[in-house]
Amino acid sequence: MLWAGGMRLGTARILLMLIHAAAACEFGPVPYSVTGIVCRMTKPAALLLNQETARLIQAAFKNAKFPNITGERSMRLLGTVAYTLANIQVSDLSIEQSEVELKENDAIDIAIKNVTAFFRGTLTYGYAGAWFLQLFHSVDFEIESSIDLQINIKLLCQEEQVAADASDCYLSFHKLKLHLQGDKEPGWLKQLFTDFISFTLKFVLKREVCKEINLIAQVMANFVHDIAENFVRDEAIGLDISLASDPLIKANYLESHHKGLVLYKNYSDILSDSVFSPSLLSESRMLYFWLSEHILNSLASAAFLDGRLELTLRGEKLQVLFEFEDSEAQQKAAHLIFQGNSYNDSVAKVWSLALPEIALQPEGTVVKSLVAVEISIFPPGEEPETVLYMEKEITVTIQAAYVEKKLILRPLDSQIEFKVINCTADPSGNDRSIRNFLQRMISAVGIPEVISKIEPALTSLMNSKGLHFFEIKNPEIITRKRYLIVQLDFSFPNHLLLKFLKQTF
C-alpha cells in the first residue's frame, strides 16, 4: 500500500523509474500458444471509463508539486527587479469535456477541453539590491487559466505486466491572467509580471501536471494489476497473470493476453497448445474474458491437491438424500444400509480419489471424477462402524450462469459407473436393489447436492474479492471446444476509483 502524502508518490516515482529502466518483455515466436487468459475491453467500455477521467485529472492538478519560480529582469528606471512565485497551489478546477479515441497499434488518445483552473500563491519582489537589504514586498496572487490537455497513453509490457506510458502529454493555454491582491500596486507592475513570467509559468505548469498525469497512469496500471492478481488468488492457489504478449490496441478495443498458469506450492503447470485467436472474440459487448480449458483443469487439480474436494453430510442433509423418493425400495435400501440407526447418528463423507478432468464443449463444462463415498454409523454406546463404502466414476455436464450476483451451476446429464461397492448389509454384492437405489439417488439428488455446495462457495469467494460491488449487466458464460468466454456490460465501478484515489493521494 502506498504511503500518505508526498512520501507516498515520491516513493512511487522512484519505483517507477526503476521499472522504466528495465528491459522490455521478450516473448516467443508464437505467443498465443501460451495464452491462458485474454481480457478484451471494447470502445464502449473505454468511453464509459472516460466519463470519470475528470476526477483523475483533477487529482493530477491538485497533487502536482509546483516548485518556486524565481527570476529577475533589468528595468531602465528601477534597475534589477527580482521576484519569486511561491506556495503555488491549484483550486477551483473544472473540466468541460473529455473525449477518448483508440488509435490502432499506437495509443489511447484522451482530449480534455476547456480546463479552467485557478493557481494561487505568493509573489515576492524587490528592486536592485533590495534583497540583500531585506527590502522586499509580498503580495498574494491568483492566476486564472483556461487549458486544453492532450494525453496519448501507450500500453507497454514491463516486468511481464501491463504498464501505461502517458509521457506524451501537451497543455495548450487559451488564457493565463494574473491577478494581484493584498498590497495596492501600480498597473505597470501587474503588466510587468504578467508578460515576464507567463512563458516560464506555462513551462512549469505543463511539466509538473504532465509528470503527475504520467505517474497516475502508471500507478493506475499497477493498481489494476494488483486487483486482478488478488481476484485470481485464494490462499495457496493462484494464477500467474503475467503477460504472454504485448498489450494490443485496435480501433475498437484494447486487449491483453496472460499466461494464466496455476501457482500452487510445487505444482508444475505448462501451457503450450492454447487455441486462442482474436477472431474468437467479438466487439458487441463491453468486456470479454477468454479462458483456456487448461486453466480450469489446472485449478481443479490444485483444489484436489489442496484437499478442497471433500464433503461431509449428516443429519437432515443425509435424510434428504436417502429419502428423496417415497417408495418401498427406498425404505428397504435405507434400512439395510443404516441398519435402523438414525440419520443423526450417521455421517457420510464424499471425496475425490484422483485429479478431476474438465473438458469444455459447446453443450457445457464436462467434469469427470473418480469419487469415494463412505457412510459410518455411530450407535449410542457402541463403536462406530462403516456400513457403506463405494467408489464410482461420475461424468456430469454443467452449464454456468451469473444471475443477480450469484453463480448458478445447472447439471444437464450425468453418467455413473460403480467401481467398488462394499456394504455391510450385502457383503456378497448380490443385492441389486441397493446398487440400483444408489444409482438413482446419486443422479437425482447426490450430484445436485454437491453442486449446491459449490455454488455458494464460489459465489462467496468471488464476493470476497469485491465482485458484488460491480454492476454487471447481462453476463453470459459461453463454452466452446477447449475454451470458455465470459462477456458482459457494466456500469462504472466507482468503488474502485474511490479506492484508487484513497490509496494514491
Side-chain angles (χ1 to χ4, degrees), residues 28 57 83 86 96 105 109 113 115 144 176 226 241 285 289 305 307 346 393 402 421 434 438-439 469 478 486 505:
I57 298 302
Y83 67 89
E96 182 176 302
N105 299 322
D109 284 3
K113 299 180 180 180
V115 179
E144 181 184 358
L176 192 67
D226 292 343
I241 60 171
R285 305 298 297 274
F289 295 100
L305 296 172
S346 307
E393 187 175 80
Y402 189 73
I421 294 184
I434 293 180
L438 291 173
Q439 181 99 14
F469 290 125
I478 302 169
V486 179
F505 302 106

Side-chain angles (χ1 to χ4, degrees), residues 66-71 82-90 119-126 131 136-143 178-183 193 197 201:
F66 300 103
N68 293 344
I69 299 175
T70 61
Y83 67 89
T84 298
L85 296 176
N87 304 319
I88 303 174
Q89 296 180 340
V90 181
F119 299 87
R120 294 185 172 90
T122 303
L123 168 63
T124 302
Y125 62 95
W131 293 105
F136 57 87
H137 300 277
S138 292
V139 58
D140 293 336
F141 72 86
E142 179 182 82
I143 299 172
L178 177 66
H179 301 281
L180 295 179
Q181 299 170 344
D183 294 341
F193 287 116
I197 70 175
L201 187 59

Side-chain angles (χ1 to χ4, degrees), residues 26-310:
E26 295 183 3
F27 304 106
V30 191
Y32 287 160
S33 66
V34 296
T35 296
I37 302 175
V38 177
C39 176
R40 173 178 290 187
M41 178 184 293
T42 60
K43 191 168 184 178
L47 292 173
L48 174 68
L49 297 178
N50 183 59
Q51 294 176 8
E52 295 296 326
T53 299
R55 296 173 71 177
L56 293 176
I57 298 302
Q58 287 175 337
F61 270 84
K62 292 181 177 180
N63 198 67
K65 306 301 181 185
F66 300 103
N68 293 344
I69 299 175
T70 61
E72 60 181 28
R73 186 175 182 179
S74 297
M75 303 295 293
R76 181 172 300 175
L77 298 178
L78 298 176
T80 301
V81 178
Y83 67 89
T84 298
L85 296 176
N87 304 319
I88 303 174
Q89 296 180 340
V90 181
S91 63
D92 301 331
L93 185 143
S94 65
I95 296 176
E96 182 176 302
Q97 185 180 358
S98 178
E99 300 174 353
V100 64
E101 181 182 356
L102 305 181
K103 296 180 66 175
E104 186 147 347
N105 299 322
D106 186 11
I108 305 168
D109 284 3
I110 300 176
I112 301 169
K113 299 180 180 180
N114 295 330
V115 179
T116 301
F118 289 86
F119 299 87
R120 294 185 172 90
T122 303
L123 168 63
T124 302
Y125 62 95
Y127 309 108
W131 293 105
F132 301 100
L133 299 174
Q134 296 186 356
L135 298 175
F136 57 87
H137 300 277
S138 292
V139 58
D140 293 336
F141 72 86
E142 179 182 82
I143 299 172
E144 181 184 358
S145 67
S146 179
I147 307 168
D148 284 349
L149 180 62
Q150 179 71 37
I151 311 167
N152 303 313
I153 304 175
K154 295 183 181 295
L155 298 182
L156 313 170
C157 175
Q158 291 177 342
E159 295 193 344
E160 296 191 323
Q161 72 180 61
V162 176
D165 179 5
S167 58
D168 190 3
C169 167
Y170 301 92
L171 269 69
S172 300
F173 289 84
H174 300 298
K175 180 195 292 186
L176 192 67
K177 188 175 182 181
L178 177 66
H179 301 281
L180 295 179
Q181 299 170 344
D183 294 341
K184 299 292 185 180
E185 296 295 335
W188 62 266
L189 180 62
K190 177 179 176 181
Q191 186 64 43
L192 165 67
F193 287 116
T194 298
D195 294 342
F196 185 59
I197 70 175
S198 60
F199 175 80
T200 303
L201 187 59
K202 289 177 182 179
F203 174 78
V204 170
L205 294 180
K206 185 266 180 187
R207 182 188 64 196
E208 298 304 321
V209 169
C210 284
K211 182 194 300 182
E212 199 66 30
I213 288 173
N214 190 32
L215 174 64
I216 290 176
Q218 295 168 12
V219 174
M220 173 67 88
N222 291 336
F223 175 79
V224 172
H225 175 85
D226 292 343
I227 291 289
E229 192 171 55
N230 177 66
F231 189 85
V232 295
R233 172 168 292 279
D234 180 51
E235 297 179 358
I237 301 175
L239 290 177
D240 175 9
I241 60 171
S242 57
L243 290 175
S245 62
D246 285 316
L248 190 63
I249 299 179
K250 293 293 185 181
N252 294 321
Y253 63 83
L254 313 171
E255 192 169 274
S256 59
H257 313 102
H258 307 264
K259 296 176 181 178
L261 301 177
V262 166
L263 305 172
Y264 175 72
K265 297 182 179 179
N266 295 325
Y267 181 80
S268 179
D269 195 15
I270 298 175
L271 173 61
S272 60
D273 59 349
S274 173
V275 298
F276 175 74
S277 168
S279 62
L280 298 177
L281 298 176
S282 67
E283 302 169 16
S284 60
R285 305 298 297 274
M286 294 174 70
L287 191 61
Y288 294 83
F289 295 100
W290 183 96
L291 288 86
S292 168
E293 174 185 278
H294 176 88
I295 289 179
L296 299 185
N297 264 305
S298 296
L299 284 173
S301 297
F304 169 80
L305 296 172
D306 203 44
R308 301 192 185 193
L309 304 184
E310 300 176 357

